[in-house]
Amino acid sequence: MPGGRARARPPSRAAGGFTAYLVFVVGVGAIAGFLYGYDTGIISGALLSIREEFGLDHRMQEMTAASILVGAIGGALAGGWLTERIGRRWTVTALAVVYVLGALASSLAPNAWLLIGARVILGLAVGASSQAVPVYVAELAPAAHRGRCVTMFNVAIGLGILSANLIASEFRDAWSWRWMIGAAILPATLLCAATAFLPESPRWLVGRDRTDAARRQLARVRPEGADIDAEIGEIERVVEAERSAPVRGWRGLGQSWLHPAVVAALGVAAFTQITGIEMMVYYAPTLLTGVGIDHATALRSTLWLGLVYAVMTAVGLVVVDRVGRRSLSLWMLPGAAVSLFVLGGLLFFELAGGERAWPVLLCLLAYMFFNAGGIQVVGWLTGSEMYPLSVRAAGTSAQATMVWGSNLVVTASALTLVHSLGTGATMALYGLMNVLAFLFVLRFVPETAGRSLEQIEHSLRDGTFRP
């Protein structure tokens, strides 16, 4: 009823005050995260076979691995526009279709150049999902559980990478690289089907003067007895303030009162990549074989790396709302830096490698423990929280573009750095990036845990958004 409390059917409860329907929504978002992780991670194991079949040198290997990132940048830029024009729900549906088509085209590519082109298309879905899904989930989740809900996307990325490593390691003799890449068609089809049952974001609906629809959708993802009217009222007040803002969208990001959020969010986005995580995801088998470790051991080692990534993002899911985004990053980044410095020293002075592989593997696992359990947990979360509604689509597009642009730089230069500087010096360089990430978070990133999106916006406008 207009102006009254929505009389939706009482939603069933789930653990921790979640409704079953909210769990479903978070689960659908997690499928998109799984595809992100699988489609980017499978190239790590498949690249060894692709290199042999197509006779690729190290530059063509970099292009094959990085091609998905070129598409991801385009998808990240388009994602913000789509979420504003057609809504969050239909954007997720569209990217699900692209996931299916991109995986199919990649698995059927007859040569390296067509494989690169197909992975660019696949990257469009990866980039758009990294922008759209965290925002969508953040706008539906209650403030007290928003960190956990959005971080499920990160956990699913880890599971996708782990699954890719498992298939590359254990099915390397039974499956060709085409079957490895094509396996993503199954979860992508499931994502397509599941999007038919998703709600639209209440914040997007209020922005289109569809308040009654927003109230109904919000009631579906809140426990029985929740004060829906109060939450809708808070959203309406923010929307009204945004409508009176002199500039919105991409131009709005240049407003001086937003600078603290833009700096903090984009800085965290860049450091999620330049601290070296994608170097490990894409090139770990190549690096390990380069220091004398046999192919089978190298592939199984990346399986352990994927397992640690998945476990630590899951641990982050549990603690991120309690410990806080800022604190979690500050506790974990020093460990990642030390792990890479030790690894760099071992390789530079030729103290490990070949039959003495265990120190190298131990350092890699330690790095993954600290990096995946820290800044990777909060990377997408901070971007979905810090931007006000009037610039949220543009801000999260900028966030995703920064992630994929940084990822592209790392991926397209990693093997070249190894050839130019050596593996040991390259690892030490990434260790330095983790030190810089620590200093950046310490100086520029405030805590956002436990605060509603509207409260975060108020602190930006009041000039109190600071560490």
Side-chain angles (χ1 to χ4, degrees):
M1 294 184 296
R5 187 179 298 276
R7 297 183 61 84
R9 70 179 186 279
S12 60
R13 291 183 180 271
F18 289 96
T19 66
Y21 191 55
L22 179 59
V23 172
F24 169 75
V25 171
V26 174
V28 174
I31 298 175
F34 177 90
L35 286 164
Y36 167 149
Y38 187 90
D39 286 326
T40 57
I42 193 60
I43 198 65
S44 175
L47 191 58
L48 296 175
S49 299
I50 295 170
R51 179 180 66 187
E52 294 176 2
E53 180 172 336
F54 294 143
L56 307 182
D57 60 18
H58 79 273
R59 289 301 303 167
M60 281 297 291
Q61 290 178 64
E62 285 179 337
M63 290 179 66
T64 303
S67 57
I68 197 170
L69 309 178
V70 175
I73 292 172
L77 290 170
W81 181 86
L82 281 174
T83 55
E84 285 298 288
R85 296 300 184 278
I86 66 176
R88 281 50 161 161
R89 175 195 172 189
W90 285 108
T91 299
V92 176
T93 302
L95 66 89
V97 173
V98 180
Y99 266 127
V100 174
L101 297 178
L104 180 62
S106 297
S107 66
L108 297 176
N111 58 57
W113 287 109
L114 288 178
L115 174 60
I116 288 171
R119 284 178 61 78
V120 170
I121 294 172
L122 186 58
L124 294 173
V126 172
S129 65
S130 68
Q131 185 278 333
V133 174
V135 169
Y136 175 63
V137 173
E139 292 185 345
L140 285 165
H145 302 295
R146 188 177 61 246
R148 253 180 266 180
C149 291
V150 177
T151 303
M152 269 302 300
F153 183 74
N154 300 66
V155 173
I157 293 172
L159 291 174
I161 293 172
L162 175 60
S163 299
N165 290 340
L166 178 63
I167 286 176
S169 171
E170 303 305 317
F171 291 82
R172 64 186 184 280
D173 296 324
W175 286 14
S176 71
W177 64 266
R178 298 181 186 278
W179 282 101
M180 293 179 185
I181 291 176
I185 295 171
L186 293 178
T189 302
L190 177 62
L191 178 62
C192 278
T195 58
F197 304 98
L198 290 177
E200 185 50 86
S201 162
R203 287 174 172 83
W204 186 82
L205 290 169
V206 169
R208 266 69 187 164
D209 295 320
R210 298 169 59 186
T211 303
D212 290 337
R215 187 177 285 108
R216 289 193 298 271
Q217 298 291 6
L218 190 61
R220 299 172 72 187
V221 294
R222 293 291 182 269
E224 184 179 4
D227 194 347
I228 303 299
D229 286 337
E231 192 168 350
I232 288 291
E234 188 174 15
I235 295 172
E236 286 180 317
R237 286 190 292 274
V238 171
V239 168
E240 190 60 36
E242 299 303 336
R243 284 175 173 168
S244 62
V247 288
R248 304 175 66 187
W250 284 96
R251 289 181 57 203
L253 291 177
Q255 298 174 94
S256 59
W257 64 276
L258 276 176
H259 287 173
V262 173
V263 170
L266 294 187
V268 170
F271 279 116
T272 60
Q273 307 305 306
I274 62 178
T275 48
I277 191 74
E278 299 303 341
M279 171 74 160
M280 309 307 173
V281 171
Y282 295 145
Y283 296 126
T286 303
L287 293 174
L288 291 172
T289 55
V291 295
I293 298 174
D294 64 85
H295 282 203
T297 303
L299 288 172
R300 284 202 168 90
S301 299
T302 59
L303 176 59
W304 283 103
L305 288 175
L307 179 61
V308 173
Y309 187 110
V311 169
M312 291 310 298
T313 51
V315 171
L317 170 72
V318 175
V319 304
V320 69
D321 281 320
R322 299 175 184 176
V323 176
R325 289 64 157 146
R326 170 184 164 86
S327 298
L328 186 61
S329 298
L330 292 177
W331 276 106
M332 302 297 274
L333 280 167
V338 170
S339 302
L340 289 179
F341 285 137
V342 173
L343 176 59
L346 289 172
L347 295 176
F348 185 82
F349 294 106
E350 299 183 354
L351 300 176
E355 295 181 356
R356 296 175 297 164
W358 68 267
V360 174
L361 300 179
L362 187 61
C363 287
L364 286 174
L365 291 172
Y367 162 78
M368 189 64 76
F369 176 94
F370 289 110
N371 192 275
I375 198 167
Q376 301 304 323
V377 171
V378 305
W380 293 115
L381 178 56
T382 53
S384 67
E385 292 179 323
M386 290 184 178
Y387 297 109
L389 185 61
S390 65
V391 297
R392 188 165 297 150
T396 52
S397 282
Q399 179 89 1
T401 302
M402 178 63 80
V403 168
W404 294 114
S406 304
N407 193 337
L408 178 60
V409 170
V410 171
T411 306
S413 64
L415 295 184
T416 299
L417 281 174
V418 169
H419 276 72
S420 301
L421 303 178
T423 307
T426 301
M427 293 300 104
L429 178 62
Y430 288 129
L432 178 61
M433 293 300 104
N434 282 267
V435 173
L436 294 178
F438 175 87
L439 296 175
F440 179 86
V441 173
L442 186 66
R443 174 66 179 83
F444 294 105
V445 181
E447 187 56 74
T448 55
R451 304 167 68 187
S452 73
L453 299 180
E454 288 70 33
Q455 288 171 337
I456 293 171
E457 178 168 348
H458 289 320
S459 71
L460 280 165
R461 291 183 178 276
D462 294 342
T464 58
F465 186 81
R466 54 180 178 266

